[in-house]
Amino acid sequence: MGKHALLSASSSHRWLNCPPSARLCENYEDKGSEYAQEGTDAHSLCEHKLKLALDMESVDPTENLSFYNEEMEQCACDYAAYVMELLTEAKKICKDPVVLIEQRLDFSRFVAEGFGTGDCVIIADGTLYIVDYKHGKGVEVSAVENPQMMLYALGALELFDGIYDIDTVRMTIFQPRRENVSICVMAKDDLLQWAYNDLMAKAKLAYEGGGDFACGDWCRFCKAKAACRKRAEYNLELAKYDFAMPDTLEDAEIAAILEKADELAAWAADVKEFALQQALGGVKYAGFKVVEGRSNRKYTDEDAVADTVKKAGYDPYEPKLLGITAMEKLLGKKQFAKLLSGLVEKPQGKPALVPESDKRQEMNIDKAASAAEDFKEN
């Protein structure tokens, strides 16, 4: 690709909600992260597995992947299997559906210089399938009203709508590490209505650096999040409570704090990391200094350690039962279920207080209280 679009599909949740952030982020270097590299590795493996499933030529990338492991292998295989299921479905309505892998999708008719890369696009008579793979397990991603997916769909329509007479768009987020397959089916006319009535105006503002700064969950991946004044003002509103003890606050006040608590913690962590990097670059903050943190001892050569200990007459290893994921990989899912289904349980999870928008079912209060006590005892 060579470059990233200013108004990319992957960052659309941010720039649609906070238009001026697009130009602001141009002033910050994209440093990347291990999580981003892991995601890139997973996408490369998914592409390879899907091409093999489609009998297309592909070079195995595993030896060049920094984060390759058994879990990533299984996720990529599951992704390929899911896409093949969709293709089978598409063939029921179209004799020769088109499958595009890692396809550049241009939606610049609606968003200035806008483009992105679709993991998998299937085009059939009447229906357009968009599949996006998410390797992350921290945040569950929904396909419903997902602007990234909608922009991909617009780009695919630009290429194929006239040929295949598409009237329906089916968008899927495939996120195996969260056991999440989120699907949103949308009429093409509704997608275009969103593009003309909402998207274009906000995209124009963002491209021109206009509009108002706004804070929300879209700040998570913003390159300017640590130094953004608007985000600081938003989080510092909590200071009006003077961080009083909970028993001095009214229920409504506690609810207000809960609403922002996670964002406040994330913001504080972002500021600390930003300040550390600035300090390492020579910036001095009054009352602070850079010191060496704690570290743990580690072997410089594990094989040499094992050989040395063996020669001294000791066993350097401890026997350990394979974990459930590794055991399932060893036996295969069917054999695992046959042999061990009666010996595996999924314990009740620790109670958590979350917004009502969370899709998990609400726990019975008595049951939740009992579970909380169990976790305290442990």
Side-chain angles (χ1 to χ4, degrees):
M1 288 295 167
K3 68 169 187 173
H4 295 289
L6 172 70
L7 304 182
S8 67
S10 58
S11 63
S12 58
H13 183 48
R14 171 176 51 76
W15 57 257
L16 281 169
N17 285 285
C18 181
S21 68
R23 290 295 178 185
L24 179 63
C25 284
E26 285 189 307
N27 301 317
Y28 292 83
E29 179 185 355
D30 188 358
K31 297 180 179 179
S33 67
E34 287 190 351
Y35 296 113
Q37 184 57 53
E38 184 181 32
T40 299
D41 284 358
H43 275 81
S44 296
L45 190 59
C46 284
E47 178 182 1
H48 172 64
K49 295 296 184 182
L50 181 53
K51 285 183 175 179
L52 290 182
L54 292 167
D55 295 323
M56 298 170 63
E57 288 188 9
S58 181
V59 178
D60 190 341
T62 51
E63 65 178 25
N64 297 316
L65 302 181
S66 302
F67 293 88
Y68 174 79
N69 56 26
E70 290 184 357
E71 182 186 39
M72 186 179 289
E73 173 78 16
Q74 186 62 54
C75 288
C77 289
D78 291 346
Y79 165 76
Y82 179 78
V83 173
M84 295 305 292
E85 288 177 10
L86 283 186
L87 183 58
T88 299
E89 180 181 320
K91 286 180 178 179
K92 294 177 181 178
I93 58 174
C94 178
K95 183 179 180 181
D96 55 347
V98 174
V99 181
L100 303 175
I101 304 172
E102 293 297 314
Q103 173 68 34
R104 179 187 169 101
L105 299 171
D106 188 311
F107 43 86
S108 56
R109 181 158 69 96
F110 307 96
V111 176
E113 301 174 12
F115 66 87
T117 303
D119 294 340
C120 182
V121 179
I122 301 175
I123 306 97
D125 290 329
T127 303
L128 169 67
Y129 301 82
I130 306 286
V131 184
D132 192 58
Y133 178 87
K134 301 292 186 187
H135 195 63
K137 61 179 180 180
V139 178
E140 187 170 298
V141 183
S142 172
V144 179
E145 296 182 354
N146 185 311
Q148 179 181 8
M149 302 298 288
M150 293 161 77
L151 287 172
Y152 285 158
L154 288 172
L157 285 174
E158 292 291 280
L159 289 173
F160 292 100
D161 189 27
I163 303 173
Y164 281 84
D165 193 23
I166 295 163
D167 54 41
T168 303
V169 176
R170 173 174 166 156
M171 299 168 285
T172 303
I173 296 289
F174 189 83
Q175 190 178 14
R177 296 171 83 198
R178 288 296 300 257
E179 298 182 354
N180 173 39
V181 179
S182 178
I183 300 171
C184 177
V185 179
M186 193 174 193
K188 180 187 74 173
D189 290 345
D190 291 338
L191 177 65
L192 292 174
Q193 184 175 357
W194 169 76
Y196 287 116
N197 297 343
D198 187 33
L199 171 65
M200 292 180 72
K202 291 179 179 177
K204 185 174 185 296
L205 270 179
Y207 189 79
E208 295 172 352
D212 297 323
F213 286 98
C215 297
D217 61 353
W218 49 86
C219 297
R220 182 186 303 272
F221 300 111
C222 179
K223 288 185 285 187
K225 63 184 179 181
C228 176
R229 181 169 296 278
K230 186 68 175 180
R231 189 174 179 225
E233 292 172 353
Y234 176 78
N235 283 284
L236 287 174
E237 285 181 19
L238 280 180
K240 69 183 180 181
Y241 295 108
D242 292 326
F243 296 96
M245 293 300 291
D247 59 3
T248 69
L249 298 175
E250 296 178 359
D251 289 349
E253 293 174 313
I254 293 176
I257 292 174
L258 287 172
E259 193 173 316
K260 291 185 178 180
D262 289 341
E263 289 183 36
L264 177 63
W267 170 70
D270 291 338
V271 172
K272 287 183 69 175
E273 178 59 26
F274 176 79
L276 172 60
Q277 297 305 319
Q278 293 291 95
L280 291 173
V283 175
K284 295 289 290 184
Y285 292 102
F288 289 86
K289 62 182 178 181
V290 177
V291 299
E292 183 177 332
R294 291 183 177 181
S295 65
N296 296 318
R297 295 178 299 170
K298 65 178 184 179
Y299 296 125
T300 56
D301 186 330
E302 292 189 359
D303 290 335
V305 169
D307 289 340
T308 302
V309 174
K310 285 178 182 177
K311 289 176 182 178
Y314 299 94
D315 182 0
Y317 299 105
E318 60 179 4
K320 184 178 180 181
L321 187 66
L322 287 176
I324 289 178
T325 300
M327 189 71 78
E328 190 173 50
K329 178 70 174 178
L330 174 68
L331 301 175
K333 289 187 176 181
K334 289 185 179 179
Q335 186 74 346
F336 178 88
K338 180 180 179 181
L339 295 176
L340 302 178
S341 60
L343 297 172
V344 176
E345 66 173 357
K346 185 174 175 59
Q348 183 170 286
K350 182 179 180 180
L353 190 61
V354 300
E356 288 187 343
S357 57
D358 191 293
K359 69 179 186 180
R360 286 171 290 184
Q361 184 175 356
E362 185 171 6
M363 289 183 73
N364 175 278
I365 295 299
D366 292 336
K367 186 177 181 181
S370 175
E373 286 299 318
D374 290 341
F375 276 95
K376 283 183 181 179
E377 291 174 6
N378 295 332

